[in-house]
Amino acid sequence: MSIRIGVIGTGWIGEQHVRRLTELVSGTTVVAVSDIDPELAASVASQVGARVVDSAEKLVADPEVEAVVITSWGPVHAEQVLACIEAGKPVFCEKPLTTDAADGRRIMEAEQAFGRRLVQVGFMRRYDAGYRQMKRVLDSDAIGEPLMAHCVHRNPTVRESYTTEMAAKDTAVHEVDALRWLLGEEFTSVQTVLPRKTPKRFEHLQDPQIFLFETASGARVDVEVFVNCQYGYDIQCEIVGEDGAVRLPDPAAPLVRHAGQASFPVLQEFGDRFTEAFDVELQEWADRVAAGREPTGPNSWDGYAATVVTDAAVQSLHTGAPVPIDLGERPDFYA
Ligand code: NAD
Ligand code: ISE
């Protein structure tokens, strides 16, 4: 039996997830889609034989829809997730869970009142094979207690609508979640450091940026975000422990020897770098939904924590000073 899914938001990643849920993920059928742009919704719906529903609220309430995937814009995620919880339907929400920490707390309260976890957040790096290998190394204690992490997040270029604050909230947010998960602890402060701006792109944009985080145990994590690096999509991560270090592997690529050089290509798109992670992420989510069990992926606390941490990074961007991070107590519900 296939789970009947409704998808809200049929833009770039929504269309990809609709295709993924139709062609790659087993046990799922997209039965309905909705977008504030009805033509876009109709075009995506027609590719997979789904119905178009004329609002997110109606899609959530639709009796045929058993579970919901939210791929709309960040600022509308909170209300859509809350509607799913009220309807008692499992929901996979692309990052960010919310753009506001108070909304993250509302979601956690609603879920706890419902009595069962229904929400998974789309931090797909936890499903990437390389990150999973790193996690196994860390959990095996092979490198001892982590002391430092060095991360790089480079995009070849971004659209003009990309703003300076998005370096933290849209881009570094992936490292925030991945490092909280890898290290198994929370961030306690952040300072945003601004190098000289690249002249290669928009005048309005401060790019690159460096985020210096501290964790509860005193480990340090530095994250370079450079979204107009020109040469490709490049994700790097190294964790240094008391007894050794572990580094994220580059995606496998053939090494070409030619004209006195040995080289391999650098990927250009984040969609290409994390395609398999997206596939695994949605398959594992769907399997849990089909089994009637709570999701095991990033939960509402993780979504809330990422918002609080990236809000603090934006605050530091404006002042230059380190900003303390206070998440409050994590409810046992999210242990
Ligand atoms: P997009 O602008 O291409 O698509 C968003 C779509 O949502 C648009 O078609 C828009 O019309 C629709 N929408 C907006 N408000 C709506 C509403 N109230 N109801 C229904 N539809 C609505 O953006 P995108 O690049 O596809 O990003 C969508 C989300 O996915 C964002 O939250 C983004 O951060 C996230 N995302 C995650 C990753 C990742 O690596 N996990 C990558 C890209 C995007
Ligand atoms: C985008 O929204 C993503 O989520 C990508 O993974 C990231 O690399 C990019 O910088 C973001 O804009």
Side-chain angles (χ1 to χ4, degrees):
M1 268 269 290
S2 215
I3 315 156
R4 298 185 303 269
I5 310 245
V7 177
I8 303 173
T10 50
W12 185 85
I13 206 163
E15 181 180 12
Q16 286 206 12
H17 282 355
V18 166
R19 283 221 208 111
R20 191 167 264 123
L21 289 163
T22 306
E23 293 165 9
L24 284 160
V25 173
S26 62
T28 52
T29 307
V30 178
V31 293
V33 302
S34 181
D35 196 292
I36 48 169
D37 178 343
E39 282 177 21
L40 189 59
S43 139
V44 172
S46 70
Q47 294 170 32
V48 298
R51 281 183 293 122
V52 176
V53 177
D54 64 18
S55 76
E57 297 72 34
K58 287 187 191 159
L59 182 137
V60 172
D62 192 301
E64 199 190 3
V65 170
E66 295 174 293
V68 178
V69 168
I70 297 178
T71 43
S72 53
W73 296 325
V76 296
H77 288 178
E79 292 314 319
Q80 295 172 351
V81 169
L82 284 163
C84 293
I85 296 171
E86 199 176 320
K89 296 190 180 179
V91 52
F92 174 93
C93 179
E94 261 307 336
K95 56 74 137 155
L97 175 62
T98 69
T99 48
D100 181 288
D103 282 340
R105 286 190 288 271
R106 283 169 66 209
I107 287 174
M108 289 191 286
E109 280 158 19
E111 219 177 8
Q112 288 175 84
F114 182 76
R116 200 162 70 83
R117 284 193 277 118
L118 290 172
V119 180
Q120 177 162 329
V121 186
F123 286 123
M124 77 298 186
R125 294 207 185 170
R126 298 189 189 201
Y127 299 86
D128 174 75
Y131 275 102
R132 285 187 158 186
Q133 286 162 358
M134 287 183 84
K135 178 76 173 150
R136 282 195 287 276
V137 170
L138 290 163
D139 290 350
S140 73
D141 208 26
I143 68 161
E145 287 301 311
L147 302 171
M148 294 175 281
H150 310 295
C151 307
V152 167
H153 188 153
R154 298 187 190 133
N155 293 62
T157 187
V158 282
R159 288 180 275 189
E160 191 165 7
S161 55
Y162 189 100
T163 63
T164 291
E165 296 193 351
M166 286 169 74
K169 297 193 71 69
D170 199 54
T171 299
V173 69
H174 284 293
E175 274 74 19
V176 168
D177 181 70
L179 270 294
R180 288 180 58 254
W181 171 68
L182 287 168
L183 300 176
E185 58 174 338
E186 301 293 358
F187 290 160
T188 53
S189 77
V190 57
Q191 182 173 18
T192 303
V193 176
L194 305 180
R196 181 173 71 79
K197 268 166 65 166
T198 175
K200 298 273 167 145
R201 214 64 176 124
F202 312 108
E203 179 52 31
H204 71 77
L205 187 60
Q206 169 60 54
D207 182 43
Q209 298 181 31
I210 298 168
F211 303 99
L212 300 173
F213 298 100
E214 186 167 13
T215 71
S217 72
R220 285 295 195 155
V221 176
D222 53 87
V223 180
E224 172 208 302
V225 166
F226 186 15
V227 294
N228 291 287
C229 81
Q230 311 294 314
Y231 71 86
Y233 188 74
D234 196 0
I235 302 298
Q236 297 171 29
C237 177
E238 182 184 31
I239 297 181
V240 185
E242 292 170 5
D243 301 315
V246 58
R247 185 184 282 272
L248 180 70
D250 273 320
L255 183 69
V256 179
R257 291 181 172 79
H258 175 69
Q261 301 274 323
S263 62
F264 56 87
V266 179
L267 291 174
Q268 296 300 305
E269 297 278 343
F270 60 84
D272 294 340
R273 171 65 180 82
F274 289 111
T275 303
E276 282 163 21
F278 285 126
D279 296 347
V280 177
E281 174 188 48
L282 283 178
Q283 184 67 66
E284 291 192 10
W285 173 72
D287 289 346
R288 298 291 292 189
V289 174
R293 303 182 67 188
E294 292 185 336
T296 51
N299 58 36
S300 302
W301 171 262
D302 297 310
Y304 158 78
T307 300
V308 174
V309 171
T310 54
D311 278 353
V314 169
Q315 202 183 322
S316 176
L317 163 78
H318 295 305
T319 63
V323 172
I325 295 167
D326 182 8
L327 297 175
E329 274 298 301
R330 182 180 67 184
D332 291 342
F333 192 76
Y334 296 107

